[in-house]
Amino acid sequence: MSLHSLEFITVESDPWITAPPEQPVEPQADLLLGWAQWRDLRERWPNDLRVAVVFPNDVDIRELLSDLPRLALVALPFPKWTDGRAYSQARLLRTRHRYTGQLRAIGDVIPDMAAQLQRTGFDSAVLRAGESIAVAHRMLTFFAEFYQADVNERRLRFDRTGTTGVTPA
C-alpha cells in the first residue's frame, strides 16, 4: 500500500454532511451516518449514492466488513485522545481487510496523534476545537522513519537496509 497522506479537515471544509443523530434520515449523496442509522438504512440505500459511517470504537470491526465495499468513508472516533482503539481498528481495516476507502479520525484528536494516525492508515482527521492544523502538519515531519512496520511500510527498519540484525560470530 502506498503512503497515506494525512489531511486535516475542518467543519467548514468537510464535504460530508453529518446526519443529525437519533433522527430519521433519507438517503442522499455524501451523508455521514451514525452506526445505528446505517444499520437501519443499509438495506434500502441506493448503490450509486456515496455514504460514510461513524463506526464506534467499542464494537468489533468484523461487524462492519460486509458493508466496506459500499462505504466511501469510515470515521473512527477517539472519545479521548488517550483511547487508542481506533488506531487498532484502522490498522485492521487497512492491512487485514484491505479497505481502500477513506479512514477519518474524529473526536478528541490532537496534533500529537498525527504520526500515529498516518502510520495506522488514516487519510484524514478532524482536530478537536482549538487545535492547530499547522502544528499537526509539523508533527508529521518530526521523524524521518520508524523502526516498526506500519500500514505504509510493511518491513521492519533492519529489513529495509538489507541487514538481519545478527552480528556474525
Side-chain angles (χ1 to χ4, degrees), residues 24 32-33 56 61 64 74 117 132 166 169:
L32 175 61
L33 302 171
I61 203 71
L64 185 63
V74 175
L117 291 170
S132 168
V166 176

Side-chain angles (χ1 to χ4, degrees), residues 104-117:
R104 177 176 293 177
I106 61 171
D108 197 28
V109 179
I110 62 173
D112 297 44
M113 299 164 65
Q116 190 66 9
L117 291 170

